[in-house]
């Protein structure tokens, strides 16, 4: 059986539970219970500051990393680094990469990344970023680069399909 969270974390979790309309009398010793609470908080914009506090105290690194990975797409770009920074160094890499990927996606969406730049860096992009790039860009030159250089057949085909549709 898992141990009850620290007093500070218990208090943060009770505040968070109240903010999302959940009973605050749960022990939250089980990571599954905390994950459920965190998921509910992700859907409540006003609860994000309380979620930040609770996750900053979360003793389960992979659980904290999962929450931060989810929240990165929901917060403004200038807040992402702050969220990544609350993670223990041992589990920070994935979220740091995702935050960078989201910045690239936003640049692609704005049309701020020319195709020749994409050609220079696409091999460094994760499969996730390559796939999402196809969905967000309207730039035919960028789509052509992805259709030729995407890492997987699925990504390349998605880019070909996007070229036909746009």
């Amino acid at each position: 059986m898992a141990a009850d969270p620290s007093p500070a974390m218990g208090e943060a979790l009770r505040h968070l539970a109240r903010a999302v309309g959940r009973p605050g009398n749960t022990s939250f010793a089980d990571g599954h219970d905390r994950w459920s609470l965190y998921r509910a908080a992700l859907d409540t914009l006003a609860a994000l500051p309380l979620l930040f506090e609770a996750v900053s105290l979360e003793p389960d690194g992979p659980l904290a990393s999962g929450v931060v990975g989810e929240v990165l797409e929901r917060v403004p770009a200038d807040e992402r680094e702050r969220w990544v920074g609350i993670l223990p160094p041992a589990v920070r890499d994935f979220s740091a990469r995702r935050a960078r990927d989201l910045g690239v996606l936003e640049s692609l969406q704005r049309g701020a990344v020319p195709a020749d730049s994409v050609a220079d860096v696409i091999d460094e992009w994760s499969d996730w970023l390559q796939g999402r790039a196809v969905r967000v860009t309207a730039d035919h030159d960028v789509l052509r680069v992805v259709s030729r250089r995407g890492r997987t057949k699925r990504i390349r085909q998605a880019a070909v399909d996007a070229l036909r549709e746009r």
Side-chain angles (χ1 to χ4, degrees), residues 30-52:
D30 184 76
H32 293 95
D33 292 336
R34 293 192 309 277
W35 174 251
S36 176
L37 175 62
Y38 296 152
R39 292 285 305 158
L42 285 167
D43 295 329
T44 309
L45 188 60
L48 287 180
L50 297 170
L51 178 63
F52 182 87

Side-chain angles (χ1 to χ4, degrees), residues 134-149:
V134 168
R135 290 188 240 154
V136 303
T137 188
D139 184 324
H140 283 233
D141 293 331
V142 169
L143 289 169
R144 280 196 255 315
V145 170
V146 179
S147 73
R148 289 189 310 271
R149 306 257 316 270

